[in-house]
Each structure stands twice: as C-alpha cells, then as structure tokens.
Amino acid sequence: MKRCLPILALASLLFTPDEGSGAQPLPVGRHSTIPLIDLADYGHGNEGEQPYIVRVRFTRTEIDGLPKARSGPAQKTARAPIPVDMTIDGVDANRTGRVGTMPYPERPRLLVLTDISSLTAGVAEPDDGQSLIRLMLYADEFDIEGLVATSNLGHGQRTRPDLIRRVVDAYAMVRPNLLLHDDRYPPAPRLAGVVKAGQPIAGPKVPVERSVGEGKDTEASEWIIAVVDRPDPRPVWVVIWGGSADLAQALWKVRATRTPERLARFIRALRVHAIGDQDATGPWIREQFPNLLTITHRRAFRGMYRGGETRLVSPEWVEANTHGHGRLGDLYPSYNGGDNWTTKLGRVRGIKEGDTPSFLSLVPNGLSDSERPWLGSWGGRFEGEARLLTEVADTDLDTSGDPDPWMSSVYRWRPAFQADFAARLDWCVRPFAGANHPPVVRIRGEGVRVVEPGAAVVLDATGSIDPDGDGLAFSWGLYPALPGVATGINIEGRDTSQARVVIPQEWAGKTIPILLTVTDRGHPKLTRYGRVLITVRRKESAESTPAVCHRQPVSLSLSQGEPISK
C-alpha cells in the first residue's frame, strides 16, 4: 500500500532534520494526519522504505544548500492537519507523490516558439524575455519539452537561443530554493537540453516557400516532430510567441513523408495557441491543416498590461516584486516601449508580456480546462467554429473605458495572476515558512452533474485547505456569464464554503458553469478555483443524458458546454 510521508531530508544517508526543527514521526494508521511541523519538502515512499524527493535529481551543491535555505525566522508556525489518506473526486491522494495538498493535476506538455530578441530594457523587444522568466517560475506546472528560438522577424533574420539559455542559467541559480516549495521543478540541464534554434528566414512579408519546404528542415522543426511522436497520451501544446515557421515545416514534412492516417494521428496529438500571426506561415497552417486545433489570440492578450488595474503592471511593481528576488528576478527587464495603442494610451512601461496568456490559459489552477476553452482561464476565453478558435469578450464587465473590450477576459484575472507571480518570486529566496502558497480547492461530488429542472444542487467545498494554515475566503458565482443563464440565478450561501442552487424550470437544456473562487489570507493573497458544470435535462427528453462528460472528450464541437475531442 502506498503511503505519503512528510520528509525533512532527501534521504537519511544525505542529511537529517536540523536539531530542534520540531519534526515528529508520522503516526501509524490509515487515517493518520501530518503533525504541525515546518515542512520544507515533500516526498513519498512504500511502507518501510526511506522517504525521498519525488522525481527530482539533486546535485551535491543543491543538497548542501537545502539546510541553509530552509533556515531563517519562521513567519508561519503551524498548518492545519491534513488527512494523509483521502480520495477526492475519485483521485487517490496517496498516488500523487504530494503530501498535504490536493493531488497534482496532470501537467500539460508545452513547447514554446519564441522570437526572443532581448533581455535588456530599451533594446529590441524584451517582452518575450519577460514571459520566459515568468514561465520558469511555472516550470513545476508543465512538462516543458521545447524552448525554440524562432526568427527575430522585424528585429533581424536571426535566432537567439543564447538568450533562452541565459534565462535557464538564471533559473538554475534559484532552483534549489524553488524546490523547498515544490519538488517538481525540473533540473536546469533538462531545460537547457530542449533549447533549439529555428528558421531565421521568416516574417509577415516573407513568402511561405522561403521558410517551408524541401531543404528547410531546422533543428527546431525536427525536434517538434520528435516530441509529438513520443508515446504519451497527453497532447502537446505548441505556444507561439513569434513566428510559426518551424511548426509549419514540421507539419509539411510529416505530410510529405507519412501516410494520411499517420498524419492525422500526428495532428490529433497537437494543440496550438498562437499570439497573432507574426509571420506568413500562421494563416498557411490553418489553411493547409484545418483539423489542427488552433487558438489564435488576436486582441485579448493586451489585457496582460492594458485595461483593468494597471498599477499591478507598473515599473514600480516590477521594482518591488521582481528585483532583489534572486538571479531570475534580477534578470527581469522593466519594459519601456510601445504597442498598437501607444498613440492613444501612451507607452507601455513595466510589464508587457503579451505572449504570457498562451501558457497562463493552461496553468492548472482550477479555473482553466484545456478541453473546454469556452469556460475561460487566466489567459482568456475562446470559442470558434470547427477546430479554429479565437478570443471572446466577457460581457459581465463594464468595458466602456477600454480601448478594446476583448482584453477584459484577461485583465479581469490580473490581481490573481500577478499575486501568484509575486509569490513565486518570493519562492526564489524565502524558506517555505516565510512564503505564501496557494490554497487547495476541494468540492465534493462530480465536476459535471446532470440534474432535472427544479432540482436543488448542493455545493460543498468544506474540504478546501490552505497549506500554510491561512484563513480562506469563498465566493461562488457564475462564469462565464452566458446569455440566458446569468439572469435570475440565486446561489444561497455564495460567500461560504457551502452553497445551494435551485435550478429554475426555464433552465432546461442549458449547461450552468458554477465557479468557486477561494482566496487565502496570506501575503500576497493567493487564489485558486473549483468548477461544477450543471447540465439540466431537457423537459421533453428527461430520460436522455446531454453529451457533456467530465474529462472524457466525446465531441468535435467547440460550442458552449461541450469538450474538445482528442
């Protein structure tokens, strides 16, 4: 039987807990609880085995540095007891390798195409460097399988993999401390090993045939093929921050060298999220491969830095929250440049990060559901026809003062994702007890529920916890605010951990997206989410079940209420 064990060491042969740390043995018993101790690391093992750090290889330098990084004045002295043996939503926590929190969600596979051209404010375009530094802090949440330097486009027909390696080198300097907060942060050499150079000849006015075709293979295009071909049931998300020429070449080659059946299998394993069409191959890919699921972000990405609470992306915010937070934070450039709205709104200063929504939309925080992009995420909300999607605006916000209402589906989440960014920057330099960590949202019952009109649905999140022992604030609501559903909704107890919804008769045939927002009372205040999709049976066909299945895609349709089919 698997049991999760708290550990304060990599193994007894490496080092033991510091004297006076307060560590206590884990009590024996199926429903034992973790004592209130200052956990620095997490791991798991079989009965009678030495505990170990899960899936992480440590260098001797990192091992020697852990006791020092763990020390320091504890700002948090206790955490609430957390059951060691627990099943939530059908998932056995003992199988996850994580102690004291919800099971880790399945990590998305990520392959980044970036036209990174600078890490220096005022030189070329440093916004890709900003996005890459933020991504490193989320390397625990993704399997990063490719970091491709694509053409610099308007800043020169060249690629800059050296800049990606500089960011990875800075990540290597803070990783020992990041491991105190999450043992899934990958070794820096693993990330350095997936840095590839792409096609330098590309651009919006460069003909596709100059970038794609016979003799146009690149290190990057070959790598993309190899990654997608790996025997992994999870799809590969290719997020495009610059040009897409290397993805286009990979698709061209697979089509030219494989049977139609093998090409179809290759395309089914891919997902694409592009920030605009920054070279001529973007439209070409959609025209030539219409069955490839593609999200094209055209306007909403500017919600990273325009609209909403702009104080959170100011130069002052950058100075206070990134600099002085280890080598990685110090590398973060404060942007000072323009965009399409510069004439009307002035220059962009501080944070730009227009490419960041491509991976924020995949962060497994309980809000996003990659199989249901219409539900929304930190990176926006997307709908479309067939398998071609783009962003949609949120209609429940007052966007009258915004230059573009489509930005609202991103900037509405800015307080949450900027607080999360600030907390992870703290992880670079602080011990576990001196930093904040996000709450864990647990909603009892199924994530998708099929009910009759007039039924009462109980929503119970009393099992939600905070790993630091902080208090939690709950808010139940409806998101997205769909036409014909938002009006007249009454959630009883919407600001408590237990709520109740009585389904009106007129909601028959609709899918009601309930969103729970849980925010802790730590510093900065961190937010996570839980979802319940309530599908109401149609009156004329009460015995039939609508085609909505939780985490079991069944339909090619991307309409509201239905998931993506793999």
Side-chain angles (χ1 to χ4, degrees):
M1 178 183 73
K2 283 280 189 183
R3 283 183 10 108
C4 296
L5 301 175
I7 63 174
L8 291 170
L10 302 177
S12 60
L13 295 178
L14 297 178
F15 61 85
T16 57
D18 297 335
E19 187 173 348
S21 67
Q24 301 293 328
L26 182 71
V28 178
R30 180 168 175 79
H31 292 285
S32 303
T33 59
I34 300 172
L36 302 183
I37 59 177
D38 184 15
L39 291 178
D41 300 285
Y42 297 125
H44 76 285
N46 290 319
E47 290 265 16
E49 292 182 350
Q50 291 288 346
Y52 60 95
I53 294 287
V54 186
R55 299 184 300 279
V56 176
R57 297 182 63 184
F58 285 76
T59 66
R60 173 58 60 183
T61 300
E62 290 167 345
I63 291 170
D64 292 342
L66 280 172
K68 180 179 179 182
R70 196 175 60 209
S71 64
Q75 298 178 18
K76 298 177 181 179
T77 58
R79 294 177 188 82
I82 301 168
V84 171
D85 194 50
M86 180 176 290
T87 301
I88 299 289
D89 291 337
V91 180
D92 184 356
N94 285 335
R95 297 181 182 178
T96 67
R98 192 179 193 189
V99 175
T101 63
M102 255 300 268
Y104 285 129
E106 184 176 75
R107 289 196 290 184
R109 301 174 68 194
L110 196 69
L111 202 156
V112 179
L113 275 58
T114 170
D115 59 334
I116 186 170
S117 59
S118 173
L119 289 168
T120 305
V123 176
E125 194 74 9
D127 60 324
D128 280 50
Q130 291 183 327
S131 293
L132 188 59
I133 290 169
R134 188 188 297 248
L135 176 61
M136 291 297 100
L137 294 172
Y138 286 88
D140 58 329
E141 304 287 5
F142 296 98
D143 280 337
I144 299 176
E145 301 190 38
L147 296 169
V148 172
T150 64
S151 173
N152 277 181
L153 303 172
H155 295 282
Q157 300 289 284
R158 59 178 180 172
T159 64
R160 297 293 306 275
D162 57 302
L163 296 178
I164 300 178
R165 294 189 184 97
R166 276 188 63 192
V167 174
V168 173
D169 288 345
Y171 163 81
M173 300 297 291
V174 299
R175 178 177 177 258
N177 218 78
L178 289 171
L179 289 169
L180 302 178
H181 304 270
D182 193 331
D183 61 22
R184 299 174 300 161
Y185 279 101
R190 184 186 304 169
L191 296 178
V194 302
V195 177
K196 306 297 176 183
Q199 172 62 258
I201 308 301
K205 297 183 179 179
V206 176
V208 172
E209 56 269 22
R210 291 192 58 197
S211 307
V212 178
E214 191 68 40
K216 299 295 194 301
D217 294 338
T218 65
E219 177 187 37
S221 67
E222 293 291 280
W223 183 254
I224 292 171
I225 294 172
V227 168
V228 177
D229 280 346
R230 288 173 181 165
D232 192 318
R234 296 171 298 165
V236 177
W237 279 91
V238 178
V239 294
I240 302 174
W241 301 356
S244 50
D246 297 287
L247 174 61
Q249 177 63 21
L251 290 165
W252 179 90
K253 184 170 185 177
V254 169
R255 183 170 64 180
T257 60
R258 300 185 182 181
T259 64
E261 292 75 19
R262 293 185 65 197
L263 170 63
R265 189 182 314 135
F266 187 87
I267 288 175
R268 283 197 301 271
L270 272 172
R271 306 279 191 271
V272 175
H273 192 141
I275 303 298
D277 289 323
Q278 299 187 50
D279 69 23
T281 64
W284 181 87
I285 289 173
R286 293 194 299 275
E287 176 186 330
Q288 296 290 316
F289 303 94
N291 290 328
L292 175 61
L293 178 69
T294 303
I295 296 173
T296 305
H297 223 127
R298 300 193 180 280
R299 301 156 72 175
F301 64 86
R302 292 192 178 90
M304 276 299 298
Y305 58 93
R306 295 286 197 194
E309 177 51 85
T310 55
R311 177 182 56 85
L312 298 175
V313 291
S314 66
E316 293 77 18
W317 193 98
V318 171
E319 182 63 30
N321 292 279
T322 66
H323 301 161
H325 286 72
R327 187 69 61 86
L328 191 62
D330 287 342
L331 190 61
Y332 191 92
S334 186
Y335 192 86
N336 185 2
D339 72 349
N340 288 2
W341 296 101
T342 297
T343 302
K344 182 176 181 179
L345 301 177
R347 295 173 69 82
V348 180
R349 301 180 188 275
I351 290 176
K352 189 178 183 186
E353 290 197 49
D355 300 306
T356 296
S358 64
F359 70 85
L360 282 187
S361 66
L362 299 171
V363 171
N365 54 15
L367 173 65
S368 60
D369 183 340
S370 62
E371 296 300 313
R372 294 182 175 89
W374 64 272
L375 284 174
S377 65
W378 278 353
R381 197 164 64 82
F382 311 97
E383 296 177 8
E385 298 296 329
R387 298 178 75 79
L388 303 177
L389 286 71
T390 192
E391 70 269 71
V392 292
D394 280 341
T395 59
D396 61 324
L397 298 179
D398 179 8
T399 59
S400 58
D402 294 339
D404 191 334
W406 270 260
M407 299 189 303
S408 61
S409 65
V410 174
Y411 74 60
R412 71 180 302 148
W413 311 110
R414 188 182 298 146
F417 63 65
Q418 285 299 93
D420 213 67
F421 185 28
R424 288 170 182 262
L425 285 159
D426 286 345
W427 294 1
C428 294
V429 293
R430 295 184 181 182
F432 190 100
N436 198 21
H437 306 85
V440 180
V441 179
R442 293 172 170 149
I443 302 176
R444 293 190 178 277
E446 295 297 322
V448 172
R449 307 180 190 183
V450 180
V451 303
E452 303 291 341
V457 179
V458 175
L459 305 168
D460 183 357
T462 54
S464 300
I465 57 170
D466 186 81
D468 306 303
D470 295 324
L472 298 176
F474 295 83
S475 178
W476 299 89
L478 192 71
Y479 184 79
L482 304 178
V485 176
T487 56
I489 185 171
N490 181 29
I491 302 178
E492 301 172 7
R494 63 169 59 239
D495 295 325
T496 68
S497 60
Q498 286 184 299
R500 181 174 178 268
V501 179
V502 177
I503 309 300
Q505 294 290 333
E506 59 268 25
W507 289 2
K510 297 182 183 296
T511 297
I512 304 166
I514 300 293
L515 178 67
L516 170 63
T517 302
V518 179
T519 302
D520 71 14
R521 294 190 173 94
H523 181 77
K525 295 181 179 179
L526 299 181
T527 301
R528 286 297 182 266
Y529 311 87
R531 281 196 181 275
V532 177
L533 295 183
I534 302 174
T535 299
V536 187
R537 294 183 190 273
R538 295 184 183 277
K539 296 178 181 179
E540 65 273 15
S541 182
E543 69 279 359
S544 64
T545 301
V548 179
C549 300
H550 186 46
R551 300 197 179 280
Q552 294 182 349
V554 296
S555 171
L556 287 176
S557 174
L558 296 176
S559 60
Q560 294 170 347
E562 296 183 340
I564 298 168
S565 170
K566 293 182 181 180

